Every structure is written in structure tokens, then in C-alpha cells.
Amino acid sequence: MTNSINEILETDVILVIGSNTTEAHPVTGYRIRQAVQNGKKLIVADPRKIELVKYADLWLRHRPGTDIALLNGLAHVILRDDLWDKQFVAERSEGFEEFKKTVAKYTPERVAEITGVEAGLIEQAARMYGKAEKATIIYAMGITQHASGTHNVMAVANLAILTGNVGRPGTGVDPLRGQNNVQGACDMGCLPNYYPSYQPVDDPHVQSNFERFWQAKLPQEVGLTVTEMTDAARQGKIKCMYIMGENPVLSDPDGNRVVEALQALEFLVVQDIFLTETAQLAEVVLPAVTFAEKNGTFTNTERRIQLVRKAIDTTSSAKPDWQIIIELAQKMGHFWQYPGGPEQIMEEIARCAPLYGGISHHRLEKGGIHWPCPTPGHPGTAYLHADGFARGKGKFHSVEHVPPAEEPDEEYPLLLITGRMLYHFHTGTMSRRSHLEELRSEELAMMHPQDAEAYGIKDKDRIVVESRRGKVTTRVQVTDFVPPGSIFMTFHFKETPTNVLTIASTDPICKIPELKVCAVKIRVPFPGQARRHPESFSCH
Amino acid sequence: MCVVEVKGARKLMAACATPVSDGMEVLTESDRVINARREILRLLIANHDLRCLTCERNGDCRLQDYCYRYKVEDTPYKGEVIEYPIDTNNPFFIRDYSKCIRCGKCVTVCAEINGAYVYDFMHRGFETKVTSAYDDTLQETTCTFCGMCVNVCPVAALVEKSTLWAGRPWEIKKVTTTCPYCGVGCQLKLKVKDNRIIGVAADRSGPNLGDLCSKGQFGWDYVHSPDRLTDPLVKRNGKFIKVSWDEALNYVAARFKDILNEWGGRAFAGLSSAKCTNEENYLFQKFMRSILQTNNIDHCARL
Amino acid sequence: MRRKVLVCGGTGCVSSRSREVYDALESELAGRGLGEQFELKYTGCHGFCEQGPLVLVEPEGYFYCRVTKEHVAKLVDSLQEGSVYEDLLYKDPDTGNRVKTRNDVPFYQKQKRLVLKNCGLINPESIEDYLNAGGYRTLQKVFKMSPDAVIDEVKKAGLRGRGGGGFPTGLKWEYARKARGDKKYIICNADEGDPGAFMDRSILEGDPHRVLEGMLTAGYAIGAGEGFVYIRAEYPLAVRRLDIAIKEAREKGFLGENILGSGFNFDIHIKQGAGAFVCGEETALIESIQGNRGMPRPRPPFPAVKGLWDRPTVVNNVETLANLPIIFDMGAEAYAAIGTEQSKGTKIFALTGKIKNTGLVEVPMGITLREIIFDIGGGIPNGKKFKAVQIGGPSGGGLSAQHLDLPIDYDSLIDAGAMMGSGGLVVMDEDTCMVELARFFLSFTRMEACGKCTPCREGNTRLLEILERIVEGRGELQDLDLLESLGHTIIDTSLCGLGQSAPNPVLSALKYFRPEYEMHVKNKLCPAGVCKALLSYRIIEEKCKACGLCLKHCPVGAITGKKGEPHRIDPEMCKKCGECLKKCPFGAIVLAGGDGFGQGQSDHKRNHVSRTQALYNLKSGGRERH
Ligand SMILES: Cc1cc2nc3c(=O)[nH]c(=O)nc-3n(C[C@H](O)[C@H](O)[C@H](O)COP(=O)(O)O)c2cc1C
Ligand code: SF4
Ligand code: SF4
Ligand code: SF4
């Protein structure tokens, strides 16, 4: 996020796109709602009738996969009606002329055709956002998990730059991170192309710095992403994987291919707290401990680094992940010594990751700090780009609407949208082992009443959902939460591993899989029966 | 309880609801104020289940605190005491309205922070009750089980089930930490007794300002799940068997070395975790890069 | 000129079947072909409910009381003849003389009917009638003035809120006029929650357009475009007549856009309330209109600054609004000449209780209680003595004989420990027990609190419980101090007017009738003979002929006595069934206040078992799963 969560309360207009905030990031959802209660304006752009729609001034129900068209359409109206921040654009951006040419094509009428949102609504939304003194855009995986994910994000950024909504409190573009430490994992260089603090691996200067710092020779070429790894493993190019705390069998797209890939490996080590679906495929499983049993730090979606404190001792022989890695390094014959534990590791991080330069556990005792925090005396940075962009000037990227990789056709007539729900988390490894399970213990695929009627499906009926890649069974919830022609499923329930359906086609730049949409068809195995004997289908 | 005396005003004023004006003289602990507060406390305890001995909030109760502070030992009002059955229907907390002091704090957080509008004042007069619409169980309402009402309740009217009979408040250690679920990074306090987590309390220091959702508030019990992995496992003939750490790590190290020697770094790939700490992620990529000689590192950031 | 026959259609008369009279008159007149000569009207309340159903014949002013449909034929005879139907004329209870016309009836003589001027004389369901009576005339005047000038005029008139508080209306308007807001609202408070009060209802039922005219004036003054009448759903007749009035006013262009070519737009809507007492409190009322639970909120900010939907809002009582046409009709100065220094104009009271002439009266401020009770109200029936009067309903206070010559206005009543309230006036004679009376009012208020403030929610119940103890003969002397101190705390610490006034009946009674309370507590005696527990059956020795009948019939054997000597009742054993009294042929047994004793343990037992069980059933500690 360029700005912090509680700045939402200070903004005038909030545009939420591709984020079911109240379920996926509840506390951020509270803030949006509070802002609305305090009279702030809210625009929701989402194909689904999410909870926030109730509070929204405007709801743009665009077709899944048409975010760019919609965002460009908004920019078009803002330019046309002269609502853009000319001074900001002149002084702090580049690429404007080309951008202007691109969006000129996105007249409200044309956008209406692509997105299915009325032209009038698009104009209203553009004016509401454009006229605001302070406006912020909140988005999440709903717009990044597409083949065009990177372009989607650029289109969002364009809008913010165009209206000068950057670098002030209560403005900005705010992606919401799905998991507690996605931000931190990226910051730490758990990416194929970056060392910690986003230092490129293919920069020889950076490489030699790290070689000196770690006293080791380092590989030069940029590595593979998750999806590429799967392919490489299936082709036999990758022989060995070491997986720490992840469950790609359920969380990654096209789950059947993931299983094939992992089975093709010569050697698989999985380190986790539970015997997950992925761990079951491993040759060696190393038991790790939970957040409550170790010290360390997490970095949240607003770049705030906060302490994790050990609350209880582990009662088994399981060990914290950091300790396992150190011991493994030692067994490999490397002299890794961290007697000071996580605190000392953070000291090392501070020395090689400039964004974390001023961070120490000692400082964090007094509360979280937002990076960048280059020096021990630096207070941290709640909002970015106060006096300039990282790359000098904000660049407009001219991006065009491209249809999703797989669209419904005659054979697979429905669009599948995937996402999260409030009571569970990710692949359910943790949340389903808590009392939250009592609130919700199985997948309920959401279908619009129109579709349900067309298929003769009733609430709680059992159906088979099938894509070109696999099939799952699930029960149905009939609701107008989803638009007609699509169904919505989560990936929390191993009994219904939704990701065997999804497509592994990835965004060409960022390699984010197109999890959000793919084409499916459904079958009703026993029409009507589920209603007569609901208990015979219960999951337990 | 928030009444104060304002010089010149005919009656006592509610401090929480009276805007300050220029030159206003406010007495917060005058005799008149103290007497009023004592009287209010006497009224409160006259209609309260006063079995403090085994009350979960004994020692951590605002009603006790104020009675102590204003030396209210007993009440002259011996009369009707309304008894309500305890609602134990939801999985997370009990609602024992015989202990409710009708302060309305739960109503406020629920409406103003969560937006669920579950609670409100019901009935009138002496029979006023603060509860869900029609007194329904919470599953039948719009409740999202964020548990914020439990955290703001000053008495033992709303109590986490996990803390019942689990320890006296002063025996419970509270450890501030970060929620392990989503990217908001809420701060919370784990309540720990005898090396077990027994609940969660609010912490105001983080981005959440004390607010939580159901996952942060009630989603912690997987920590004590019997499914937890306890020992390293190695698969032999298709079945996992428990081995010692030494054995497991030696084996892994040996296989890593073999593969490294035979195929080089390109044959490795590592997935780190968005649920592990920064320190662990740092060591993981350092391990992959400097020891296993590969940049094939990723995690589920994109998911 | 056509003669008018006005049948009272106020709620009081309706319940004594005035509709039947009206229908019978209609068919009788039509049957005799007199429909053209006589204009028959079904009007609003005439006020003299005690004597209903009432029929007034104009222009002669013949005033017929207690008319039933059986009288109709003869009544029409007299109409035809132009004579008086003597039997139906009001009979002065003192002199026994028949009084011919309404103005000669003492009940009306001391009144000053300004607000109620039209009530009973016009058909409330006809805007024509109202227009003929001069209605909506003041609007022309008002619209010619600037809004500020209108407010000045109201200030000069010295009008104060009739809803209870007595807040200067002009000042309230000025705040609302000065407050900024894209919209402003006028709310007419017709909740009238006091039990026993019915003046607002009578105005709305008898002369609804007057209230609309007042609202229009208020709306123009503060710059509001919309008004609401918040009225309790228990007033269906008032709701209906108001509804008709609004429709007619819209048709005639008194509501809507550009009213009378002034450029001023205003419309009025009706909101029906569920009838909780506290919803009459202005902030609770606003919450209620907004669709929330009717719960008062702290002031400031006052509604005049931040009210309905956070916009400046003036809440005025029905009667307050109904005064406005009078002010602009007679002029502020003439209006201000009526009343006292600080309270101007008239006030309507609902006279009830132990009084001969119950009904609705409008009197100038500054009139004494004696004039109201004895001159207008005709005094206490059955030759009983006046004891007290409760003014202001459950939030008011009881005044004693010492206050009979107090000129009443807002401030004098407050000083005496009562309040104007909405104008309920309940008269009590010597048979009323002041402890029991306070108990009665508290049992009402304690269930009306919204529940927000501890003192009001819990405290009033405790006051009630103490009073119950006293009434039941279990009171102790320190209970009286407890009542006083608790009462003052409740007043001091409650948020809204309900809590701040709920202890008034107790406190004023304690102030003026303390000896009576002490008798209950010390001597276990109820001087008024009301408190059952404090009464006992006694045998008057002189009258007892020792027949033994009572002894034989006492089911518990509480009566002893030998032949020839007076019998005795053992008070400890007596169950107070009253059998003996019924059986005594000589009237020697009486029920009287005496040495009562405690009775009826009403302490509430706690039911621990189920609760504890529920707790134990829950597993302790971090729970196991799987
Ligand atoms: C408990 C309570 C009940 C009230 N009930 C009424 C009522 O029934 N009718 C009314 O006009 N005012 C009532 N009021 C007074 C209103 O709050 C408000 O002061 C009044 O409507 C203002 O109008 P006025 O200035 O014209 O008197 C009540 C006040 C309280 C505290
Ligand atoms: S917070 Fe607790 S004490 Fe206060 S009203 Fe709610 S349940 Fe009752
Ligand atoms: S409490 Fe809820 S909102 Fe906060 S971090 Fe945890 S999961 Fe996210
Ligand atoms: S004084 Fe009574 S009625 Fe008024 S706000 Fe308080 S509790 Fe509610």
C-alpha cells in the first residue's frame, strides 16, 4: 500500500475494485464502512454483490476480466470533463500524451459495451472520483489474479496519478495483501528476481555485494516462478524442491498438474506445522511451530513491520523454521551461527536490505514501523511518494483491454470466480482446525438464481463443477451475490479443491496465475435428491 | 458513572456527552459527584448476579474496580433481581445477561466498528436488556463473530468460552503479538495460562486500533491441535516413519549435496511462506541462493 | 340564516355514543324534510366531557347535555318550534337551576378559549369551515414579513413551549434559523404520552388546520421545507382528521410549492409512533422518526442545530403550534397582555380525578388552582374534601391545599415542585392515599425508561419497591430518607427529562404530605383507608350484640368472644376475607386503618440452579478438538 489503513478514514472518496474487503480483510473493511458512516463517498467496482455494495454510493457491476476497460473509461471521462490535476501531471509524471491517446478510445459507450456497466454510471463514478480532494483506490487479488493482472494494476495507478491522488495522506493506491506476511516475504527476497529489498539478482554490482556479504558464490540468472517451477518439474528439469509452510496442491491453479509435478521430483522436503496435502507427497517432512511459539517479525500490507512474540513453549520436538534452516545449513557444512536468534537475523537483514536499514527488534518493542526506514533514527514512512516517485516521475502506462485467457463457450458456459470468505483462510490448514469450522465446514458454490433455475438447481443441491482441467463436487448456495452466468467458489476446503479447475495461464509480466476466472460447466448428479436427504451429503 | 459537576449547571452532566466550552469549570471528583457515583453503583449491584467468587472477571472487572474505588460494599436496595438464562449457543462465547450492566458498549462497537448492528437495547424500563434482535442466538443474526463485543464488555456478561474455568485473570499472561491470518497485521494479546493459549484480548497499538475479526479473535486453537506434526518424518516404502532430527537433517543434507553435485543449482527450487516471519524468509532465500546455488525461489505472494 | 346543530365528535363524546345521536338527528331531520333548514355538524371536542354527549344549537347557544338517541325526536320537535328542550339543559349542581346557553355554564365562564375557539364549532373534516372561521388568514400576514420579523413577533408575544419544558419558542426558532443546513425540518410533537392528558388529541381532532397553519408559520420562519407530525398510533381519529386536513390543504394550495404565491415551499407528513412515553422526548422522537429505537441522546447539540438526519430541526408541541395563528391574528402585544410576567397566553388543562366537571379547559396563565378546581371544575363531588392536585402527569408533582391560591405559570409550578408538563391535572380528595398515588405513577414511569441511564432504569424500580414496602406495611423510617436521596440522585444524573422528573411525584408528596408517609411507616396506618395491608377488620364494641354469627363464619377462626360480651378479631390470624363484615346484621364490623402489620413476602428468590448448570456444562480451559 502506498498509504496506511487508517488513512481511509481521512479520504473523501474510496474506490474499491476487486476486493471483497469485509470478508478478506475484515478490519480494513471496518474502516471503509466507518468512513462511509462519516459521510465519505464509496464506489464499488465488482462483479459480485459484495457486502460493501450495501454501503456504496455507486456500484459498478462490470463483467469479470474487464477491469482495464472500466478503469480506462473512468480516466476517459476525467480527461474529457477536465477533472484531472494538470499541475501534478505536468510536474510529476511522464508518458501522459500516449496515455491520453489510449484512453481516448475508451468512451463511456464503448466501455459500457465491454463491461456491461451503464455509461451513465461510469460517468458518475468518474466525476465522483475526479472531483474529490482526496481519493484512494483499494484493490486486492480480484484484479491482480488475472492474465492481465499487471496491466490492471497499472490502470489503477494511472487513475491515481491523473488526479494527483498520490503522496498525500488519505490518497494513494492500496493493494491489500492476502496473507499476513506476503509483503515481508517479498521484501526478504523470496522472489526469483530480487535479493532482499528489491535488489535485482541480475545486477552484477548487487550480486557481488551479496557474495561478499554472505561470503558465498551466487547464481546469476533470474530464477523461476511458482508456475514455471511446476512446468520445469514436470519436464524433469527440476529435481528437488524444498517447500516451507506452503500448500501448493490446494492453493495453486490447476491442482492436478501440481500433484504431477511434485510426484515427478526426485526429492521433496516439506516443512510445515500440519501434514498438508503437499506434505503427504514429500519424502521428508520437518515439523515446524506456529506463530505463538516463536519470535520474529511480520510486515503487513501497509508495509508496517511488527513483532511476533513467543507466547508458549513448544511441547513436542517441532522447531521454529529459522532454527531448522540454520541447522540444515550447518549439516550442509556451512558455518551459520545465530546465537541471538531472530533478533540477530534482523540485524543482518538491516545491514543488507536498505528498506529495513533502521529496523531492530528493540525498536519494534515500542510498536510497528512502516518501511522505508533506512536508518535507526528514521521514523518510518506511513505514506509513499510524498515528494517524488521511486523512479523519479510517475509513469503513465498505456494499457489496453484484453479478454481473459479462457472465456465461457458452448462447452463450458459458466465463468468461475474464486476468492475467500470471512471465516476461513487460504487452504484452511489453520482456520479449519479451530472453532471457526463450526460456523462453516464445507464449500458452498454461489450461483445466481437465474442460472440455478435454468439448471433446475435448488439451494444446498450437490453439483459437479468441471473445467478443461479437472472436476470437483460441491454444494450450491443460490444467491444474487454473483452475476448471472458465473459461479463463485473459495479454495478453503480440501474436500472441494477448487484449484483443480483453475487455469495456469499467467500474466506475462508478473506471472500471477489467472486464478480469478476460468470457464466451467456443471452437472447435477442427483437432481433434487440433496434436498430430500440433506444429511446424506454432510461432509463428516 | 461519567457524571461530573459543571459549575453553574443545575444538574450533573455526562462527561462523555457534554462538549467543553470556554471558561467551563468542571469538577470530576466533588462530593456531589462521588455521592452520585456511589448511588449509581449501589443501583447497579442491586440488580446484578453478585457471585464474584467464581466469576471469570473477578479481579478484572470494571464494576468491582469502581465499587472498590468508591467504597461501595453493599446496596440498600434489596428487591427484584432479573435473572436471565445464559446463552451458550454459539461456539465462541457465552452471553450471561444477569451480569450485564447495560452500558451499551457492545452495541456501539458492533454498530460503529463492525457495522453488523447485532445488538440493541430491548424492552423498556427496569426490564431493559441489551441483546440481539428478538434475543435470537447470534448465528441467526448478522453477527460475524469478530468478538469485539467480548473485548469491550466491562463485566462478565460476554465471556469467551475458552477462558471459562481456565484461570483467574491474574494468573493469565498476556503476550502481544501479530495475527497470523490476513495482511492487515492486527495486533492482539494472546492470553496464556499453563503454556496454553486460552483466549485473545484486544491490543490498541497496531493498525487495527484494538479491532479484530473472527479469525484473529477465535482462530487460534489450531495451535493446540492434536494434528500438529511433532517429529520429523521420512517416507520409507510409501509410509511415513518418525525419525530423530539428526537423522532427518543428515539425510536431507546428504540428498541435497548429491543433487547439487550431480545437477547443479538449477535442479533446485524452493517455496517459502507468506506465513513465516521475515527472519525465516530471509534465511530461506539465503539458504537457497548461497548454499543450493539457485534463484528458483518463490512463495504464494501472487495468490 | 341556517341554524346550526353541532354534535360533539370528540373522543369523550364518541365513547358515550355521540355518533348514534348524530345519525339519529340526521335521519330525523331528513325525515321531516328539515335538512335544508338545519346545518348538522359533527364537530371536535367541546371540552365538557363530563356531560357528554353534547349538542349545541347555534345561534341561540342552547347547550344540551347527556343527549341520547332517545331524545332525538323531542329535540327535533323543539328545533322545529324554535323552543328550548328544558330537560336536556345543563343543571347547575349548586342551585339546581337549568342553564340555557353554553356561555352561562359556569364551566365555560372562567375559561378563555383561544386555542380551542373553533373546537366544537366547526367540522374538523372541512377546510371550508376552517376558512370561514378565519383560518389560514394569518399566513398572508406572515408571508409579507421577513422570517426574522416573524421570529421577533413570536418573541414579543412571549410564547413558551406547551410540551412541558416551557422553552421560549422564538428563541428556539432563532437557533434553528441561524444554524446551517441544506435542509431544515419542523416536527410537531403529538406523542402526548402522559396518561390522562388529551389536550393535543382534542386540538388535532377538533381543529387540525390550526396546527398546520402553525407549522407553516414555523417552517417559514426557520426556512424549513418539510414538516412531520409525530403522533401516537393510539389516536386513530386524530390521525384520520389530520390526514384529511393535509390533503385538503394541499388541494387548496396551502401546502406544496409556492404557497399563496410567496415562493415558500412546504409539505407535511404524518409519522405514527408506537406510543412509548419516552418517544415524546424530542431527541428520542427524532431517533424514532429516523427508524431507530426511541432513545434520547445527550443535548447539546440541540435539535435546533442538529436534529432530524443531522439537520436543524424545530420540535414544537401541538398546542404551541396552535397558538401561532392567534398571535398573528391578534398581534404580539395583545397576546402578551394575557397571562403573567413570564408566561403568556393561555394553557389547556385536562381536568380529571375527583372533580365534578371533568373535561378540557383553557385558561389564562396566572389563574389560581382554586379557580380551576372550584369555579370551573365545580369542586369535589360527594361532599368530600380537596386533598391534592397532581399537575404534569407522572413527571409532575402533587400540590396540596396550601397551593390553592398560587397563580399558576411555568415558573411558579417548578418552584412548588411540580411542573406544567403537558397539562394533565388530576384532582384528589381525602380518600386518596399519597403513598399509593406516588406508587401508581412510578409503576408507570419505571417501565417507560429507555434503559440507557442506570439511575433511571434501576433507580425508579427501587423507589417503587420502597413505596411498595411502605404500602404493604413493611416500611421503615430510614426508607423515607432513602426515597429522598435516591430521588435526588436520579434527577441529578439522568440524561433526559423522563429520568429527571420521574421521582417528582414521590419527592413532592414527601414534601407536602410527609406526615402521611410517616403514619404508614411508624403507625402502619393509612389515613385515607386505601392501603389494604394496613387496614384491619374490627368489631365496634358498642354495636356488637354478641350474636356469634361472625364467629361462626370466620374460616380461620380468628374471632373469639363469649356469649354476652363483645367479640374480638385477632388481627394476626385474620386473612381479611371480609366474610364477617358481610354476615354481621348490626353493622358492628368495620374495615379501618389501624394497627396493620407486615404481610406478603415479595422478596424475589434467586434461581441459581439452572444458571450454574449451564456454566458447568461447558468444558473448561483451551478446548480439545478432533
Ligand atoms: C419523557 C418525556 C416525554 C415527553 N413527552 C412529550 C409529549 O408527549 N408531547 C410533547 O409535546 N412534548 C413532550 N416532551 C417534551 C419534548 O421533549 C419537547 O420539549 C417538546 O416537544 C418541545 O416542544 P415545545 O417547545 O413546543 O414545548 C417530553 C419530554 C420528556 C422528557
Ligand atoms: S458491553 Fe457487556 S455490560 Fe455492556 S451492555 Fe454489552 S453485554 Fe452488557
Ligand atoms: S484479526 Fe482479522 S483482520 Fe486482523 S489480521 Fe487477523 S485476520 Fe486480518
Ligand atoms: S433518563 Fe431514563 S428515559 Fe431518559 S435517557 Fe436516561 S434512561 Fe432513558
Side-chain angles (χ1 to χ4, degrees), chain B residues 84-131:
Chain B
Y84 299 101
I86 302 177
D87 172 28
T88 61
N89 276 311
N90 76 69
F92 305 114
F93 54 92
I94 60 159
R95 301 193 291 150
D96 181 358
Y97 287 126
S98 306
K99 304 227 181 205
C100 171
I101 57 168
R102 286 103 169 148
C103 67
K105 280 183 144 185
C106 52
V107 181
T108 310
V109 265
C110 189
E112 286 176 14
I113 309 282
N114 187 309
Y117 293 90
V118 170
Y119 298 117
D120 204 343
F121 285 73
M122 196 169 94
H123 302 315
R124 295 201 172 267
F126 187 64
E127 284 170 3
T128 306
K129 184 178 182 185
V130 176
T131 180

Side-chain angles (χ1 to χ4, degrees), chain C residues 372-426:
Chain C
I372 297 180
I373 295 170
F374 291 95
D375 298 348
I376 298 176
I380 317 292
N382 307 326
K384 300 265 180 178
K385 262 181 29 210
F386 169 84
K387 179 166 182 182
V389 56
Q390 174 83 14
I391 304 186
S395 17
L399 301 182
S400 65
Q402 76 188 82
H403 298 105
L404 274 177
D405 293 311
L406 185 74
I408 44 182
D409 65 13
Y410 288 104
D411 312 291
S412 67
L413 284 178
I414 297 268
D415 291 343
M419 65 187 251
M420 188 79 85
S422 47
L425 217 151
V426 188

Side-chain angles (χ1 to χ4, degrees), chain C residues 118-129:
Chain C
N118 291 338
C119 278
L121 299 185
I122 65 167
N123 177 355
E125 296 180 14
S126 153
I127 194 171
E128 298 295 341
D129 262 28

